[in-house]
Amino acid sequence: MYRRTFMHYAGASALMLPAFSMLSGCGGSDKQSTEKTEAVDASGERKLGIALVGLGKYSEGELAPALEETKLCRLAGIVTGTPEKAEKWKKKYNIPAENIYNYQNFDQIRDNPEIDIVYVVLPNSMHAEYTIRAAQAGKHVICEKPMATSAADCQKMIDACNKAGKKLAIGYRLHFEPHNLEMMRLGQQLEYGKVKRILAQNGQKEGNDTPWRFDKELAGGGPLPDVGIYCLQGAIYTKGQIPVSVTAQYHPVTDKDKFKEVEEGIDFQLQFEDGSVAECKTSYNDQYNLLRAEADKGWFELQPAYQYGGLKGKTSQGDMKVENINQQARQMDAMADSFMNNTEIKVTGEMGMRDVQLIEAIYQAADTGKKVSTTHVQKALNHYKTA
Ligand code: NAD
């Protein structure tokens, strides 16, 4: 079913299949056949080719290593403005020269049938341009969080992907992570009764190694769109509802040199229609990592909740017995599966836009000191039953 659906769906990529079949029939000792072994999965099916755009910390430290574990997709190409990085990655990951692009010739990726998916891992304000260019080049897109630095850009990205008939997924890895899936299940299925209060806190001491994070133009904000977005996400998928209003308060600025353009920290509260509240907190100058739900008949929580591994869960009845996995590998395989088989994506562009709209409302609430209605935001929700 997998190949049949894939051939039906893959369009131009399907043209590559005769070449792959021919090559995978070769003996196993030469270099070419080794490369082609990597390009297919255990059952001989072609893996989808991903091109990473932006080879910074997240691409290098997490995504590329995860792509060595994925079953349905693989690292097939890169897009970088730094020739030395191109050379290093070419050697390390055995990437053919014709699959290496820079920001100027990026659009030529259109003619490369080995690239099925473009994964945008650039500073936040650049997500829109590269998502739109990737869709126009006929590729599916995975775009890192936050989707963009304005809801208007999110809309343009959704429109471009729809127009091109390509899928768009946002890099919300925790929707594929077992502890966070358990929070969704417990909360949405009312296992402990109605969730009345949620605490969501994500903060880290942000160093100076990615200066764009302190630049309003490039980042769109400070910790809120970067790590506070996980609180927003966690509260919504645990409650299974989208807030109807928000209030917010900036933290005092203690480092005036670093936080000239973006907030150092911010508290925000999400009010839900049924009267329940999520109390959220994020910072670039303090460490916390918690998602906790208090319900009518008990409580459940993750601490840490949002990091790449080592998550721990507890409930009022004892420890959660849930495994830690390679989150990025699980996420990219789930997305590749949706792209191949044309099935529903759990983390859509609409969900990314919903969060950017909520972030805009939270800033408005903090700037004005007033409660801001959020009934206008995209109604995208990941219902547990579809998980
Ligand atoms: P980074 O600074 O380490 O990497 C950014 C890359 O973009 C670098 O390779 C840099 O050379 C390139 N770049 C191109 N044009 C640039 C410009 N004008 N200014 C600065 N850099 C430019 O950042 P990162 O930590 O890898 O984050 C990249 C994206 O990934 C962000 O959107 C971030 O929110 C997201 N991210 C997601 C997760 C997650 O868990 N899902 C984790 C980390 C980062």
PDB file of all heavy atoms in Angstrom, residues 99-110:
ATOM      1  N   ASN A  99      23.116  18.236  -4.978  1.00  0.00           N
ATOM      2  CA  ASN A  99      22.039  18.425  -3.995  1.00  0.00           C
ATOM      3  C   ASN A  99      22.393  19.506  -2.976  1.00  0.00           C
ATOM      4  O   ASN A  99      21.763  19.608  -1.936  1.00  0.00           O
ATOM      5  CB  ASN A  99      21.730  17.119  -3.262  1.00  0.00           C
ATOM      6  CG  ASN A  99      21.109  16.083  -4.184  1.00  0.00           C
ATOM      7  OD1 ASN A  99      20.945  16.326  -5.376  1.00  0.00           O
ATOM      8  ND2 ASN A  99      20.766  14.931  -3.641  1.00  0.00           N
ATOM      9  N   ILE A 100      23.422  20.310  -3.292  1.00  0.00           N
ATOM     10  CA  ILE A 100      23.834  21.367  -2.367  1.00  0.00           C
ATOM     11  C   ILE A 100      23.514  22.726  -2.998  1.00  0.00           C
ATOM     12  O   ILE A 100      23.940  23.015  -4.121  1.00  0.00           O
ATOM     13  CB  ILE A 100      25.344  21.246  -2.043  1.00  0.00           C
ATOM     14  CG1 ILE A 100      25.601  19.883  -1.376  1.00  0.00           C
ATOM     15  CG2 ILE A 100      25.793  22.400  -1.145  1.00  0.00           C
ATOM     16  CD1 ILE A 100      27.050  19.587  -1.087  1.00  0.00           C
ATOM     17  N   TYR A 101      22.754  23.525  -2.270  1.00  0.00           N
ATOM     18  CA  TYR A 101      22.294  24.823  -2.780  1.00  0.00           C
ATOM     19  C   TYR A 101      22.719  25.930  -1.828  1.00  0.00           C
ATOM     20  O   TYR A 101      23.004  25.693  -0.663  1.00  0.00           O
ATOM     21  CB  TYR A 101      20.754  24.831  -2.890  1.00  0.00           C
ATOM     22  CG  TYR A 101      20.237  23.799  -3.873  1.00  0.00           C
ATOM     23  CD1 TYR A 101      20.008  22.482  -3.465  1.00  0.00           C
ATOM     24  CD2 TYR A 101      20.011  24.134  -5.203  1.00  0.00           C
ATOM     25  CE1 TYR A 101      19.556  21.525  -4.365  1.00  0.00           C
ATOM     26  CE2 TYR A 101      19.554  23.175  -6.112  1.00  0.00           C
ATOM     27  CZ  TYR A 101      19.334  21.877  -5.682  1.00  0.00           C
ATOM     28  OH  TYR A 101      18.893  20.930  -6.576  1.00  0.00           O
ATOM     29  N   ASN A 102      22.734  27.169  -2.385  1.00  0.00           N
ATOM     30  CA  ASN A 102      22.884  28.341  -1.524  1.00  0.00           C
ATOM     31  C   ASN A 102      21.602  29.165  -1.629  1.00  0.00           C
ATOM     32  O   ASN A 102      20.658  28.756  -2.312  1.00  0.00           O
ATOM     33  CB  ASN A 102      24.141  29.143  -1.893  1.00  0.00           C
ATOM     34  CG  ASN A 102      24.118  29.589  -3.342  1.00  0.00           C
ATOM     35  OD1 ASN A 102      23.069  30.000  -3.859  1.00  0.00           O
ATOM     36  ND2 ASN A 102      25.257  29.497  -4.021  1.00  0.00           N
ATOM     37  N   TYR A 103      21.567  30.305  -0.950  1.00  0.00           N
ATOM     38  CA  TYR A 103      20.302  31.056  -0.901  1.00  0.00           C
ATOM     39  C   TYR A 103      19.960  31.708  -2.241  1.00  0.00           C
ATOM     40  O   TYR A 103      18.805  32.034  -2.493  1.00  0.00           O
ATOM     41  CB  TYR A 103      20.332  32.080   0.246  1.00  0.00           C
ATOM     42  CG  TYR A 103      20.475  31.396   1.591  1.00  0.00           C
ATOM     43  CD1 TYR A 103      21.646  31.497   2.339  1.00  0.00           C
ATOM     44  CD2 TYR A 103      19.447  30.600   2.080  1.00  0.00           C
ATOM     45  CE1 TYR A 103      21.775  30.825   3.552  1.00  0.00           C
ATOM     46  CE2 TYR A 103      19.575  29.918   3.288  1.00  0.00           C
ATOM     47  CZ  TYR A 103      20.740  30.030   4.009  1.00  0.00           C
ATOM     48  OH  TYR A 103      20.862  29.358   5.200  1.00  0.00           O
ATOM     49  N   GLN A 104      20.966  31.882  -3.100  1.00  0.00           N
ATOM     50  CA  GLN A 104      20.708  32.487  -4.410  1.00  0.00           C
ATOM     51  C   GLN A 104      20.130  31.464  -5.392  1.00  0.00           C
ATOM     52  O   GLN A 104      19.170  31.736  -6.093  1.00  0.00           O
ATOM     53  CB  GLN A 104      22.002  33.099  -4.996  1.00  0.00           C
ATOM     54  CG  GLN A 104      22.426  34.403  -4.329  1.00  0.00           C
ATOM     55  CD  GLN A 104      22.948  34.187  -2.900  1.00  0.00           C
ATOM     56  OE1 GLN A 104      23.743  33.289  -2.648  1.00  0.00           O
ATOM     57  NE2 GLN A 104      22.488  35.004  -1.962  1.00  0.00           N
ATOM     58  N   ASN A 105      20.752  30.281  -5.438  1.00  0.00           N
ATOM     59  CA  ASN A 105      20.284  29.298  -6.438  1.00  0.00           C
ATOM     60  C   ASN A 105      19.260  28.317  -5.860  1.00  0.00           C
ATOM     61  O   ASN A 105      18.908  27.332  -6.498  1.00  0.00           O
ATOM     62  CB  ASN A 105      21.472  28.556  -7.082  1.00  0.00           C
ATOM     63  CG  ASN A 105      22.202  27.649  -6.089  1.00  0.00           C
ATOM     64  OD1 ASN A 105      21.696  27.346  -5.012  1.00  0.00           O
ATOM     65  ND2 ASN A 105      23.399  27.224  -6.456  1.00  0.00           N
ATOM     66  N   PHE A 106      18.761  28.610  -4.680  1.00  0.00           N
ATOM     67  CA  PHE A 106      17.815  27.728  -3.987  1.00  0.00           C
ATOM     68  C   PHE A 106      16.647  27.297  -4.872  1.00  0.00           C
ATOM     69  O   PHE A 106      16.224  26.138  -4.856  1.00  0.00           O
ATOM     70  CB  PHE A 106      17.292  28.453  -2.732  1.00  0.00           C
ATOM     71  CG  PHE A 106      16.131  27.774  -2.066  1.00  0.00           C
ATOM     72  CD1 PHE A 106      16.293  26.557  -1.422  1.00  0.00           C
ATOM     73  CD2 PHE A 106      14.867  28.353  -2.065  1.00  0.00           C
ATOM     74  CE1 PHE A 106      15.219  25.929  -0.793  1.00  0.00           C
ATOM     75  CE2 PHE A 106      13.791  27.730  -1.453  1.00  0.00           C
ATOM     76  CZ  PHE A 106      13.969  26.511  -0.813  1.00  0.00           C
ATOM     77  N   ASP A 107      16.124  28.234  -5.682  1.00  0.00           N
ATOM     78  CA  ASP A 107      14.913  27.926  -6.464  1.00  0.00           C
ATOM     79  C   ASP A 107      15.141  26.807  -7.492  1.00  0.00           C
ATOM     80  O   ASP A 107      14.190  26.181  -7.943  1.00  0.00           O
ATOM     81  CB  ASP A 107      14.394  29.198  -7.145  1.00  0.00           C
ATOM     82  CG  ASP A 107      14.207  30.302  -6.115  1.00  0.00           C
ATOM     83  OD1 ASP A 107      13.179  30.295  -5.426  1.00  0.00           O
ATOM     84  OD2 ASP A 107      15.134  31.124  -5.957  1.00  0.00           O
ATOM     85  N   GLN A 108      16.413  26.565  -7.827  1.00  0.00           N
ATOM     86  CA  GLN A 108      16.705  25.470  -8.771  1.00  0.00           C
ATOM     87  C   GLN A 108      16.392  24.092  -8.180  1.00  0.00           C
ATOM     88  O   GLN A 108      16.405  23.083  -8.889  1.00  0.00           O
ATOM     89  CB  GLN A 108      18.179  25.521  -9.204  1.00  0.00           C
ATOM     90  CG  GLN A 108      18.491  26.734 -10.057  1.00  0.00           C
ATOM     91  CD  GLN A 108      19.994  26.916 -10.254  1.00  0.00           C
ATOM     92  OE1 GLN A 108      20.780  25.996 -10.052  1.00  0.00           O
ATOM     93  NE2 GLN A 108      20.393  28.119 -10.641  1.00  0.00           N
ATOM     94  N   ILE A 109      16.108  24.066  -6.904  1.00  0.00           N
ATOM     95  CA  ILE A 109      15.749  22.806  -6.230  1.00  0.00           C
ATOM     96  C   ILE A 109      14.507  22.208  -6.889  1.00  0.00           C
ATOM     97  O   ILE A 109      14.264  20.997  -6.806  1.00  0.00           O
ATOM     98  CB  ILE A 109      15.560  23.061  -4.709  1.00  0.00           C
ATOM     99  CG1 ILE A 109      15.893  21.829  -3.891  1.00  0.00           C
ATOM    100  CG2 ILE A 109      14.172  23.600  -4.384  1.00  0.00           C
ATOM    101  CD1 ILE A 109      16.124  22.110  -2.411  1.00  0.00           C
ATOM    102  N   ARG A 110      13.763  23.056  -7.573  1.00  0.00           N
ATOM    103  CA  ARG A 110      12.590  22.624  -8.355  1.00  0.00           C
ATOM    104  C   ARG A 110      12.937  21.460  -9.290  1.00  0.00           C
ATOM    105  O   ARG A 110      12.143  20.552  -9.494  1.00  0.00           O
ATOM    106  CB  ARG A 110      12.142  23.832  -9.204  1.00  0.00           C
ATOM    107  CG  ARG A 110      11.121  23.541 -10.276  1.00  0.00           C
ATOM    108  CD  ARG A 110      11.027  24.718 -11.253  1.00  0.00           C
ATOM    109  NE  ARG A 110      10.812  25.981 -10.556  1.00  0.00           N
ATOM    110  CZ  ARG A 110       9.634  26.423 -10.158  1.00  0.00           C
ATOM    111  NH1 ARG A 110       8.563  25.706 -10.385  1.00  0.00           N
ATOM    112  NH2 ARG A 110       9.526  27.571  -9.525  1.00  0.00           N
TER     113      ARG A 110
END
